[in-house]
C-alpha cells in the first residue's frame, strides 16, 4: 500500500503544473469541476480537458494498473 502511494505521488509529480493542480483540487480537495475552474481561473471544459489528459498520462506512467487510479 505504501509502495502504491509513492508510485502515485511520483507520477503526479511528472504531470504539468496545471494538470497537477486540477487533479489535486478535484480528487483530493473534492471540489466540483466548476469550483476548480473558478480557483484556476479557467472554464469547466478546460478543467475537464486537463483531467482527461492527466488521467491518460497517469495510466501511462503507472503502467495501466487500474487499482492505482
Amino acid at each position: 500500500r505504501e509502495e502504491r502511494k509513492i508510485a502515485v505521488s511520483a507520477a503526479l509529480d511528472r504531470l504539468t503544473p496545471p494538470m497537477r493542480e486540477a487533479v489535486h483540487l478535484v480528487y483530493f480537495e473534492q471540489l466540483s469541476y466548476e469550483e476548480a475552474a473558478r480557483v484556476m481561473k479557467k472554464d469547466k471544459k478546460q478543467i475537464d480537458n486537463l483531467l482527461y489528459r492527466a488521467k491518460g498520462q497517469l495510466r501511462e506512467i503507472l503502467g495501466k494498473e487500474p487499482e492505482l487510479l
Side-chain angles (χ1 to χ4, degrees):
R1 185 173 177 107
E2 188 62 32
E3 199 173 296
R4 281 187 202 165
K5 283 184 184 179
I6 292 168
V8 170
S9 179
L12 286 169
D13 286 344
R14 292 177 59 186
L15 297 177
T16 65
M19 285 184 197
R20 193 169 40 246
E21 183 178 6
V23 167
H24 179 78
L25 291 171
V26 172
Y27 294 105
F28 293 95
E29 298 293 327
Q30 299 183 341
L31 297 181
S32 69
Y33 283 27
E34 292 84 4
E35 292 167 326
R38 272 194 303 264
V39 170
M40 293 181 70
K41 295 182 173 57
K42 298 188 180 294
D43 63 37
K44 183 182 171 207
K45 182 63 178 165
Q46 289 173 303
I47 299 300
D48 185 49
N49 290 340
L50 284 168
L51 291 171
Y52 178 83
R53 290 194 324 256
K55 287 186 276 188
Q57 284 189 15
L58 289 171
R59 279 187 200 96
E60 190 176 304
I61 292 166
L62 295 168
K64 300 184 181 178
E65 297 180 46
E67 70 274 4
L68 292 177
L69 296 177

